[in-house]
Amino acid sequence: MIHSGIKNFIFILIVLAGNACNKNKPAQLFAVQQSDSVSNPTTLIHMLPSVLKESSGLCYTDGNLWSFGDSGNPPNLYKIDTATGTVLQTVTISNYPNVDWEDITADSAFIYIGDFGNNYGDRKDLKILRIRKSEIAVAASSVSLGAEAINFSYNDQTDFTPNDNTNFDCEAVIVVNDYLYLFTKDRGDLKTRCYKIPAIPATYNLSPLSTFNSQGKITAAAYNPQSKEIALLGYMNKKVQSFIWLLNGYTTDQFFNGTTKRLNIGTQADWQTEGLDYISADRFFMSCESSANHGASLYNFRK
């Protein structure tokens, strides 16, 4: 699947560790090391087709890779051929628009699409759409179906005045043991808050479960059910210096009270990394949106 002639990007590995006894404390910087052997390569697999020029999330489940466009795009979910980068199947959500789809995750029975992008902090229609895998497990190249909505609001948000430094944007979600966990993209303080919500259609009012000093804007999340590792993708202001946080050794669902490790993925300017999911314990699929300096692309990343 990965072509040997593809160029690898060298990146700087920054290792950080948090104090496991002090929940929600920001991690401390211990060392900065240049990887001379490029032991953690990021490899370009394919450029993505035009329908995914704003690929905003990735989900690799049952051997299939899914993505979609964000705000302003059709309410379509696309199954991607990882060998060619082409679209194998288009799933259209018939009963909800794509207000601002931002991330996607899956369990054994359902796929969940996060329509919770909130760039200016003024949305009051936040939701996660749930579709059954059994309804899309067909050979047809196009499928239309209805989704169920998991509606929610933030209990700690009281002001809905449009604000481009809002701390109530969200672009990341995982599902663990029948619960969905959201990670905010705080534009104001560059932290992230985790919210917990049942993976059952209803309407919920959420209070933050925990907070972490992510030192950047979180744009995607991934969960490995075998190792229980969580990965948070993001970038700094102006969409530079993409990074991945790895969370391990936590207790219950206090994801930030274990060990934390930050991988900085190069210093590319205007590299809008938005989608992430595990292929295996040490490998990820990662996607970026089209920008002035980079076309929409699918990558392989190895820890």
Side-chain angles (χ1 to χ4, degrees):
M1 177 175 64
I2 307 302
H3 299 291
S4 60
I6 302 295
K7 183 179 179 180
N8 290 339
F9 294 105
I10 299 177
F11 68 94
I12 297 175
L13 174 64
I14 297 182
V15 179
L16 302 97
N19 187 336
C21 299
N22 293 321
K23 181 175 63 178
N24 304 334
K25 296 288 186 180
Q28 293 180 326
L29 178 63
F30 280 95
V32 179
Q33 297 179 329
Q34 177 71 43
S35 176
D36 295 326
S37 61
V38 198
S39 58
N40 304 93
T42 301
T43 305
L44 176 66
I45 303 175
H46 293 291
M47 304 302 292
L48 291 171
S50 59
V51 293
L52 285 169
K53 66 181 180 180
E54 294 183 296
S55 173
S56 194
L58 288 178
C59 179
Y60 186 61
T61 182
D62 303 323
N64 297 315
L65 182 64
W66 298 92
S67 189
F68 52 81
D70 63 8
S71 177
N73 284 277
N76 293 340
L77 186 62
Y78 301 102
K79 182 163 68 174
I80 305 168
D81 186 334
T82 57
T84 65
T86 58
V87 172
L88 296 173
Q89 187 181 51
T90 301
V91 176
T92 299
I93 305 302
S94 60
N95 57 337
Y96 288 99
N98 180 345
V99 179
D100 196 356
W101 293 7
E102 288 292 354
D103 203 11
I104 179 173
T105 189
D107 56 23
S108 60
F110 298 98
I111 289 177
Y112 304 89
I113 304 167
D115 190 353
F116 41 45
N118 194 16
N119 290 342
Y120 300 101
D122 56 352
R123 284 188 65 183
K124 296 184 179 181
D125 60 346
L126 303 172
K127 63 180 66 70
I128 299 166
L129 302 178
R130 188 178 85 164
I131 62 174
R132 293 183 181 275
K133 287 183 174 181
S134 59
E135 294 188 55
I136 61 176
V138 295
S141 61
S142 61
V143 178
S144 179
L145 53 82
E148 300 172 290
I150 302 169
N151 301 289
F152 69 93
S153 58
Y154 300 114
N155 183 56
D156 49 332
Q157 182 177 13
T158 58
D159 185 0
F160 292 86
T161 304
N163 175 10
D164 58 8
N165 281 320
T166 181
N167 286 333
F168 291 96
D169 189 13
C170 183
E171 298 189 6
V173 64
I174 59 174
V175 60
V176 183
N177 298 330
D178 300 320
Y179 284 92
L180 294 157
Y181 294 88
L182 284 64
F183 299 88
T184 59
K185 179 184 181 182
D186 288 11
R187 300 169 184 273
D189 59 21
L190 299 184
K191 296 180 181 180
T192 187
R193 295 184 315 286
C194 179
Y195 294 84
K196 179 180 181 180
I197 181 172
I200 299 172
T203 299
Y204 302 93
N205 187 240
L206 310 182
S207 296
L209 185 68
S210 52
T211 302
F212 178 62
N213 186 4
S214 53
Q215 303 169 42
K217 300 175 180 179
I218 300 302
T219 60
Y223 174 68
N224 185 325
Q226 285 73 45
S227 66
K228 302 189 186 308
E229 182 178 75
I230 295 170
L232 301 179
L233 177 69
Y235 48 69
M236 303 303 295
N237 283 324
K238 308 298 183 183
K239 301 169 188 173
V240 300
Q241 190 59 76
S242 294
F243 60 82
I244 295 175
W245 279 102
L246 301 177
L247 311 178
N248 287 283
Y250 50 82
T251 55
T252 62
D253 52 11
Q254 292 296 320
F255 302 133
F256 305 132
N257 74 355
T259 60
T260 61
K261 182 178 182 179
R262 177 170 168 140
L263 308 179
N264 277 11
I265 311 170
T267 56
Q268 299 187 71
D270 195 29
W271 198 34
Q272 193 168 344
T273 46
E274 293 273 348
L276 186 75
D277 207 357
Y278 284 90
I279 304 172
S280 62
D282 64 345
R283 292 172 59 225
F284 299 91
F285 283 122
M286 184 178 73
S287 67
C288 70
E289 293 191 14
S290 179
S291 65
N293 297 320
H294 301 278
S297 309
L298 179 66
Y299 294 87
N300 175 68
F301 175 79
R302 186 179 295 275
K303 291 192 292 183

